[in-house]
Amino acid sequence: MGSISDSPSPQRRHVVLFPFMSKGHTIPLLHLSRLLLSRNLAVTVFTTPANRPFIDQFLSSSTASVVDLPFPQNIHPEIPSGVESTDKLSSVSERLFYPFTLATKHMQDDFEKALSSLPRVSFMVSDSFLWWTLDSAVKFNFPRLAFYGFNNYSGCVFKTVAEDRLLHGAESDNELITLTRFPWIKITKQDFDSSFGKHSPEGSEFFMNVMGAVVKSFGLVTNSFYELEPVFVDYWNTECTPKSWNVGPLCQLKPKPQCHDPKPVWIEWLDKKKVEGKRVLYVAFGTQAVISSEQVEEIAKALEKSELNFLWVIRKKESFTWWDSEFDERVRGRGMVVSEWVDQTDILNHESVEGFVSHCGWNSAMEAICAGVPILAWPMMAEQPLNARMVVEEIKVGLRVETCDGSVRGFVKAEGLEKMVKKLMEEEEGEVVRKKVKELSEVARRAVEEGGSSWQTLQSLIDEACSN
């Protein structure tokens, strides 16, 4: 793994990537680094000391260089020294998230010192949350593209709702509202965080900084592909700025594991399920979702009563006030609970996995689509409710959990969850979405192959950015 001293040769086009300090934001840009390297570009990835080991391991078989910058200290009384990723925050509430993100501005001087010692940069892709990198790009005279974790569907819906003030006339949180520009789409207030359009002073500062920098950037790098959402790609690139460059699915570019790499225990368990001819339901809600002990108890009851084979990835069991110590024993043989970080693409691409209960973070949704695994959508936060609508209503590759009150963010009882996981895994509705997602998986594969839509888009991006 390189450092500043052995950075890329100045004769090659050279790209800087700067992911935000969160695995969900970092992993897509690490996949992008491999894409750029495959086009004979040199790549330098910026990070922080605590995040570097993960990035070094991820890029161990590549020629990308990695530079770490000191992360600001003493940014909030509840953020201890050494916490350099939102995954490690005690909560992802506004109280901690905005101070954490705004503090990254203090990295700018060190970032620019590092840039001054690197070969000339052709262009940079930095996370949209790192708005201040635009100023650095202007100072060093190279284009900055913002990486957007959203898809075009969500971006277009957000923009339409904000500009047409559609939420202001709704009488209840669950009233269906028709989008004037996309009349087949109906949303509710609960599809948006309660803070949408109403932010704390720190939140307002953050969003003004981010949006101001995005609009002035050379473009957006979007982890999607044209065939998945052509209406929304065309709308964005006709009516909105800057241009959205759809170069995904980025997860398609993961290198194949080496034969000598030891298999994690959960992959060995899935191998056994494959030999037994058993279909497995995968359950995971990402690294940021906060789930109550009461809700965890209902999930456990549903999985136990369903009689389905399942792999459930959960935060540390001891972090929940409820955890039945005998649960693992009762489901032994057909259920496995994992309390550590897993490589989700390995799980979703395993032949035994045929359903995914997901929070519908966009990375997870794309990984499921690429693997041809249908989704049971259970959105938790951020733009996930819109992603869930896209998955279920727009591209029709999943079903939706049933909440007690029928609302977007309602509590899910064991009986309702058991009903829906069985529907996904064993009934006709599940087979319909399974067929659809497998068709889209093939389209996604073709998009990143030479001559495909995403392949051509990336080449155009490189040519235009490097000639700017």
Side-chain angles (χ1 to χ4, degrees):
M1 187 62 57
S3 61
I4 293 179
S5 59
D6 60 358
S7 291
S9 163
Q11 287 79 24
R12 295 168 67 192
R13 290 170 165 176
H14 175 207
V15 181
V16 161
L17 303 181
F18 201 157
F20 179 65
M21 300 79 189
S22 168
K23 282 192 173 67
H25 289 243
T26 297
I27 290 173
L29 282 187
L30 298 183
H31 287 313
L32 178 63
S33 73
R34 294 186 178 278
L35 251 187
L36 296 168
L37 290 167
S38 72
R39 304 293 175 98
N40 199 34
L41 278 73
V43 175
T44 301
V45 180
F46 279 86
T47 187
T48 69
N51 291 300
R52 179 160 185 166
F54 176 80
I55 289 177
D56 280 349
Q57 182 179 10
F58 202 102
L59 297 176
S60 60
S61 60
S62 81
T63 58
S65 296
V66 181
V67 177
D68 54 71
L69 307 174
F71 192 78
Q73 301 297 308
N74 304 315
I75 59 180
H76 190 277
E78 295 179 50
I79 302 178
S81 176
V83 172
E84 299 177 8
S85 170
T86 58
D87 307 332
K88 302 295 184 182
L89 293 175
S90 57
S91 83
V92 286
S93 64
E94 291 187 16
R95 189 181 77 260
L96 298 183
F97 175 78
Y98 292 135
F100 179 93
T101 310
L102 291 169
T104 64
K105 175 74 166 65
H106 297 297
M107 300 172 68
Q108 186 169 353
D109 286 346
D110 289 319
F111 178 54
E112 292 179 358
K113 287 176 186 174
L115 285 176
S116 67
S117 67
L118 291 175
R120 182 183 178 279
V121 176
S122 303
F123 64 91
M124 170 173 65
V125 182
S126 62
D127 195 282
S128 59
F129 287 2
L130 304 177
W131 76 93
W132 48 269
T133 57
L134 174 66
D135 294 335
S136 302
V138 171
K139 181 176 179 179
F140 284 80
N141 194 31
F142 57 76
R144 180 252 184 168
L145 292 104
F147 172 70
Y148 242 26
F150 291 177
N151 49 55
N152 300 277
Y153 173 98
S154 295
C156 290
V157 171
F158 271 121
K159 186 174 177 65
T160 299
V161 167
E163 290 182 349
D164 295 349
R165 298 174 61 83
L166 294 178
L167 300 187
H168 293 270
E171 295 183 1
S172 77
D173 288 349
N174 299 312
E175 177 186 342
L176 285 172
I177 304 163
T178 300
L179 294 194
T180 48
R181 304 181 207 188
F182 309 103
W184 65 93
I185 299 176
K186 291 178 171 54
I187 50 92
T188 72
K189 279 187 176 181
Q190 284 211 340
D191 285 306
F192 304 84
D193 278 344
S194 59
S195 62
F196 183 66
K198 302 177 291 184
H199 300 293
S200 64
E202 285 183 320
S204 296
E205 179 186 354
F206 168 72
F207 280 102
M208 287 178 64
N209 287 335
V210 167
M211 298 314 300
V214 164
V215 169
K216 295 175 184 175
S217 294
F218 182 80
L220 294 171
V221 173
T222 307
N223 186 14
S224 187
F225 56 104
Y226 182 80
E227 294 86 349
L228 185 69
E229 43 175 350
V231 170
F232 304 101
V233 176
D234 289 343
Y235 179 85
W236 185 275
N237 285 337
T238 302
E239 304 293 333
C240 312
T241 56
K243 181 177 180 178
S244 171
W245 300 83
N246 292 266
V247 298
L250 294 171
C251 59
Q252 292 277 51
L253 305 154
K254 180 186 172 186
K256 298 294 182 185
Q258 300 298 315
C259 293
H260 58 269
D261 289 348
K263 287 184 178 181
V265 291
W266 48 89
I267 296 297
E268 292 181 344
W269 185 84
L270 289 173
D271 287 345
K272 291 178 182 176
K273 294 293 124 183
K274 178 187 172 186
V275 171
E276 295 170 3
K278 299 292 178 61
R279 309 167 95 182
V280 176
L281 175 72
Y282 173 51
V283 183
F285 304 105
T287 56
Q288 305 279 30
V290 178
I291 307 174
S292 70
S293 288
E294 293 77 14
Q295 188 63 86
V296 168
E297 182 177 4
E298 295 299 314
I299 296 170
K301 287 178 180 177
L303 293 176
E304 183 175 353
K305 291 173 66 178
S306 73
E307 297 295 328
L308 295 170
N309 290 269
F310 66 88
L311 174 62
W312 183 12
V313 176
I314 191 173
R315 291 186 179 189
K316 292 183 179 179
K317 301 172 192 175
E318 57 268 24
S319 66
F320 297 100
T321 55
W322 176 89
W323 189 267
D324 183 348
S325 59
E326 297 178 357
F327 171 74
D328 289 14
E329 191 59 39
R330 291 198 301 271
V331 299
R332 188 175 301 281
R334 69 173 181 85
M336 183 177 192
V337 183
V338 178
S339 296
E340 56 189 286
W341 187 84
V342 301
D343 188 323
Q344 185 161 274
T345 56
D346 281 352
I347 292 172
L348 287 169
N349 281 284
H350 198 281
E351 290 179 66
S352 65
V353 174
E354 296 200 25
F356 181 19
V357 181
S358 172
H359 62 310
C360 276
W362 188 237
N363 290 338
S364 292
M366 285 296 281
E367 288 163 3
I369 290 168
C370 291
V373 175
I375 297 168
L376 182 59
W378 188 347
M380 303 273 176
M381 57 186 287
E383 88 287 3
Q384 293 164 12
L386 295 183
N387 292 342
R389 286 200 181 277
M390 180 184 181
V391 162
V392 176
E393 300 167 11
E394 191 72 27
I395 58 176
K396 297 178 170 56
V397 296
L399 307 176
R400 186 101 182 217
V401 293
E402 288 186 355
T403 58
C404 288
D405 59 4
S407 69
V408 171
R409 299 173 187 267
F411 192 77
V412 177
K413 294 286 286 183
E415 294 78 10
L417 182 57
E418 180 190 359
K419 168 187 168 184
M420 292 310 299
V421 294
K422 284 185 172 180
K423 190 168 285 191
L424 183 74
M425 297 295 286
E426 299 178 342
E427 298 179 18
E428 184 179 354
E429 293 97 324
E431 291 307 313
V432 170
V433 293
R434 184 171 287 105
K435 179 182 178 184
K436 177 65 175 177
V437 76
K438 289 187 182 301
E439 292 171 357
L440 266 181
S441 174
E442 180 61 23
V443 178
R445 183 187 62 78
R446 291 197 298 267
V448 297
E449 290 182 341
E450 185 168 354
S453 61
S454 295
W455 188 95
Q456 293 184 52
T457 297
L458 180 63
Q459 192 58 52
S460 297
L461 185 162
I462 293 169
D463 293 342
E464 290 189 31
C466 289
S467 65
N468 192 60

PDB file of all heavy atoms in Angstrom, residues 39 442 444-456:
ATOM      1  N   ARG A  39      -8.945   1.653 -15.707  1.00  0.00           N
ATOM      2  CA  ARG A  39      -8.830   2.539 -16.879  1.00  0.00           C
ATOM      3  C   ARG A  39      -7.450   3.183 -16.949  1.00  0.00           C
ATOM      4  O   ARG A  39      -7.241   4.178 -17.643  1.00  0.00           O
ATOM      5  CB  ARG A  39      -9.904   3.641 -16.821  1.00  0.00           C
ATOM      6  CG  ARG A  39     -11.339   3.145 -16.703  1.00  0.00           C
ATOM      7  CD  ARG A  39     -11.817   2.416 -17.952  1.00  0.00           C
ATOM      8  NE  ARG A  39     -13.146   1.859 -17.755  1.00  0.00           N
ATOM      9  CZ  ARG A  39     -14.273   2.441 -18.159  1.00  0.00           C
ATOM     10  NH1 ARG A  39     -14.240   3.590 -18.796  1.00  0.00           N
ATOM     11  NH2 ARG A  39     -15.431   1.864 -17.927  1.00  0.00           N
ATOM     12  N   GLU A 442     -29.199  -9.114 -14.335  1.00  0.00           N
ATOM     13  CA  GLU A 442     -28.518  -9.301 -15.620  1.00  0.00           C
ATOM     14  C   GLU A 442     -28.301  -7.959 -16.319  1.00  0.00           C
ATOM     15  O   GLU A 442     -27.247  -7.715 -16.917  1.00  0.00           O
ATOM     16  CB  GLU A 442     -29.352 -10.244 -16.499  1.00  0.00           C
ATOM     17  CG  GLU A 442     -28.756 -10.528 -17.862  1.00  0.00           C
ATOM     18  CD  GLU A 442     -27.392 -11.204 -17.796  1.00  0.00           C
ATOM     19  OE1 GLU A 442     -27.082 -11.838 -16.765  1.00  0.00           O
ATOM     20  OE2 GLU A 442     -26.630 -11.093 -18.779  1.00  0.00           O
ATOM     21  N   ALA A 444     -27.939  -5.098 -14.813  1.00  0.00           N
ATOM     22  CA  ALA A 444     -26.884  -4.434 -14.045  1.00  0.00           C
ATOM     23  C   ALA A 444     -25.512  -4.940 -14.455  1.00  0.00           C
ATOM     24  O   ALA A 444     -24.558  -4.160 -14.578  1.00  0.00           O
ATOM     25  CB  ALA A 444     -27.107  -4.666 -12.554  1.00  0.00           C
ATOM     26  N   ARG A 445     -25.409  -6.240 -14.657  1.00  0.00           N
ATOM     27  CA  ARG A 445     -24.124  -6.819 -15.068  1.00  0.00           C
ATOM     28  C   ARG A 445     -23.674  -6.251 -16.417  1.00  0.00           C
ATOM     29  O   ARG A 445     -22.506  -5.884 -16.598  1.00  0.00           O
ATOM     30  CB  ARG A 445     -24.243  -8.348 -15.140  1.00  0.00           C
ATOM     31  CG  ARG A 445     -22.942  -9.058 -15.484  1.00  0.00           C
ATOM     32  CD  ARG A 445     -23.171 -10.547 -15.716  1.00  0.00           C
ATOM     33  NE  ARG A 445     -24.052 -10.808 -16.832  1.00  0.00           N
ATOM     34  CZ  ARG A 445     -23.684 -10.742 -18.110  1.00  0.00           C
ATOM     35  NH1 ARG A 445     -22.443 -10.398 -18.443  1.00  0.00           N
ATOM     36  NH2 ARG A 445     -24.551 -11.013 -19.078  1.00  0.00           N
ATOM     37  N   ARG A 446     -24.608  -6.145 -17.342  1.00  0.00           N
ATOM     38  CA  ARG A 446     -24.254  -5.638 -18.676  1.00  0.00           C
ATOM     39  C   ARG A 446     -23.878  -4.149 -18.630  1.00  0.00           C
ATOM     40  O   ARG A 446     -23.066  -3.690 -19.429  1.00  0.00           O
ATOM     41  CB  ARG A 446     -25.411  -5.855 -19.653  1.00  0.00           C
ATOM     42  CG  ARG A 446     -25.661  -7.317 -19.985  1.00  0.00           C
ATOM     43  CD  ARG A 446     -26.515  -7.453 -21.239  1.00  0.00           C
ATOM     44  NE  ARG A 446     -27.831  -6.860 -21.081  1.00  0.00           N
ATOM     45  CZ  ARG A 446     -28.912  -7.512 -20.688  1.00  0.00           C
ATOM     46  NH1 ARG A 446     -28.826  -8.810 -20.389  1.00  0.00           N
ATOM     47  NH2 ARG A 446     -30.082  -6.907 -20.584  1.00  0.00           N
ATOM     48  N   ALA A 447     -24.469  -3.406 -17.691  1.00  0.00           N
ATOM     49  CA  ALA A 447     -24.219  -1.966 -17.627  1.00  0.00           C
ATOM     50  C   ALA A 447     -22.755  -1.646 -17.355  1.00  0.00           C
ATOM     51  O   ALA A 447     -22.227  -0.644 -17.849  1.00  0.00           O
ATOM     52  CB  ALA A 447     -25.095  -1.324 -16.554  1.00  0.00           C
ATOM     53  N   VAL A 448     -22.072  -2.488 -16.566  1.00  0.00           N
ATOM     54  CA  VAL A 448     -20.676  -2.187 -16.215  1.00  0.00           C
ATOM     55  C   VAL A 448     -19.681  -2.896 -17.127  1.00  0.00           C
ATOM     56  O   VAL A 448     -18.478  -2.652 -17.033  1.00  0.00           O
ATOM     57  CB  VAL A 448     -20.392  -2.556 -14.740  1.00  0.00           C
ATOM     58  CG1 VAL A 448     -21.239  -1.719 -13.799  1.00  0.00           C
ATOM     59  CG2 VAL A 448     -20.615  -4.045 -14.474  1.00  0.00           C
ATOM     60  N   GLU A 449     -20.162  -3.766 -18.000  1.00  0.00           N
ATOM     61  CA  GLU A 449     -19.250  -4.413 -18.937  1.00  0.00           C
ATOM     62  C   GLU A 449     -18.839  -3.440 -20.032  1.00  0.00           C
ATOM     63  O   GLU A 449     -19.517  -2.433 -20.285  1.00  0.00           O
ATOM     64  CB  GLU A 449     -19.916  -5.642 -19.556  1.00  0.00           C
ATOM     65  CG  GLU A 449     -20.096  -6.784 -18.579  1.00  0.00           C
ATOM     66  CD  GLU A 449     -20.718  -8.007 -19.233  1.00  0.00           C
ATOM     67  OE1 GLU A 449     -21.334  -7.851 -20.318  1.00  0.00           O
ATOM     68  OE2 GLU A 449     -20.598  -9.111 -18.659  1.00  0.00           O
ATOM     69  N   GLU A 450     -17.736  -3.721 -20.689  1.00  0.00           N
ATOM     70  CA  GLU A 450     -17.238  -2.825 -21.736  1.00  0.00           C
ATOM     71  C   GLU A 450     -18.326  -2.562 -22.774  1.00  0.00           C
ATOM     72  O   GLU A 450     -18.936  -3.485 -23.309  1.00  0.00           O
ATOM     73  CB  GLU A 450     -16.012  -3.430 -22.420  1.00  0.00           C
ATOM     74  CG  GLU A 450     -15.381  -2.502 -23.432  1.00  0.00           C
ATOM     75  CD  GLU A 450     -14.020  -2.958 -23.895  1.00  0.00           C
ATOM     76  OE1 GLU A 450     -13.488  -3.948 -23.341  1.00  0.00           O
ATOM     77  OE2 GLU A 450     -13.470  -2.314 -24.824  1.00  0.00           O
ATOM     78  N   GLY A 451     -18.594  -1.282 -23.018  1.00  0.00           N
ATOM     79  CA  GLY A 451     -19.632  -0.875 -23.948  1.00  0.00           C
ATOM     80  C   GLY A 451     -20.986  -0.654 -23.306  1.00  0.00           C
ATOM     81  O   GLY A 451     -21.884  -0.096 -23.936  1.00  0.00           O
ATOM     82  N   GLY A 452     -21.151  -1.073 -22.031  1.00  0.00           N
ATOM     83  CA  GLY A 452     -22.418  -0.885 -21.334  1.00  0.00           C
ATOM     84  C   GLY A 452     -22.638   0.570 -20.951  1.00  0.00           C
ATOM     85  O   GLY A 452     -21.737   1.410 -21.053  1.00  0.00           O
ATOM     86  N   SER A 453     -23.845   0.873 -20.489  1.00  0.00           N
ATOM     87  CA  SER A 453     -24.197   2.269 -20.212  1.00  0.00           C
ATOM     88  C   SER A 453     -23.296   2.895 -19.158  1.00  0.00           C
ATOM     89  O   SER A 453     -22.824   4.030 -19.327  1.00  0.00           O
ATOM     90  CB  SER A 453     -25.663   2.360 -19.770  1.00  0.00           C
ATOM     91  OG  SER A 453     -25.877   1.615 -18.583  1.00  0.00           O
ATOM     92  N   SER A 454     -23.031   2.188 -18.073  1.00  0.00           N
ATOM     93  CA  SER A 454     -22.185   2.740 -17.009  1.00  0.00           C
ATOM     94  C   SER A 454     -20.726   2.800 -17.438  1.00  0.00           C
ATOM     95  O   SER A 454     -19.997   3.731 -17.079  1.00  0.00           O
ATOM     96  CB  SER A 454     -22.330   1.910 -15.731  1.00  0.00           C
ATOM     97  OG  SER A 454     -23.640   2.013 -15.221  1.00  0.00           O
ATOM     98  N   TRP A 455     -20.302   1.808 -18.204  1.00  0.00           N
ATOM     99  CA  TRP A 455     -18.929   1.800 -18.730  1.00  0.00           C
ATOM    100  C   TRP A 455     -18.705   3.031 -19.608  1.00  0.00           C
ATOM    101  O   TRP A 455     -17.688   3.729 -19.473  1.00  0.00           O
ATOM    102  CB  TRP A 455     -18.705   0.515 -19.528  1.00  0.00           C
ATOM    103  CG  TRP A 455     -17.291   0.277 -19.955  1.00  0.00           C
ATOM    104  CD1 TRP A 455     -16.348  -0.477 -19.308  1.00  0.00           C
ATOM    105  CD2 TRP A 455     -16.640   0.793 -21.137  1.00  0.00           C
ATOM    106  NE1 TRP A 455     -15.163  -0.459 -19.999  1.00  0.00           N
ATOM    107  CE2 TRP A 455     -15.314   0.310 -21.131  1.00  0.00           C
ATOM    108  CE3 TRP A 455     -17.053   1.607 -22.180  1.00  0.00           C
ATOM    109  CZ2 TRP A 455     -14.402   0.618 -22.130  1.00  0.00           C
ATOM    110  CZ3 TRP A 455     -16.153   1.924 -23.183  1.00  0.00           C
ATOM    111  CH2 TRP A 455     -14.845   1.431 -23.161  1.00  0.00           C
ATOM    112  N   GLN A 456     -19.644   3.311 -20.499  1.00  0.00           N
ATOM    113  CA  GLN A 456     -19.512   4.475 -21.378  1.00  0.00           C
ATOM    114  C   GLN A 456     -19.597   5.788 -20.592  1.00  0.00           C
ATOM    115  O   GLN A 456     -18.878   6.747 -20.880  1.00  0.00           O
ATOM    116  CB  GLN A 456     -20.601   4.437 -22.445  1.00  0.00           C
ATOM    117  CG  GLN A 456     -20.457   3.283 -23.430  1.00  0.00           C
ATOM    118  CD  GLN A 456     -21.497   3.339 -24.531  1.00  0.00           C
ATOM    119  OE1 GLN A 456     -21.664   4.362 -25.188  1.00  0.00           O
ATOM    120  NE2 GLN A 456     -22.213   2.243 -24.731  1.00  0.00           N
TER     121      GLN A 456
END
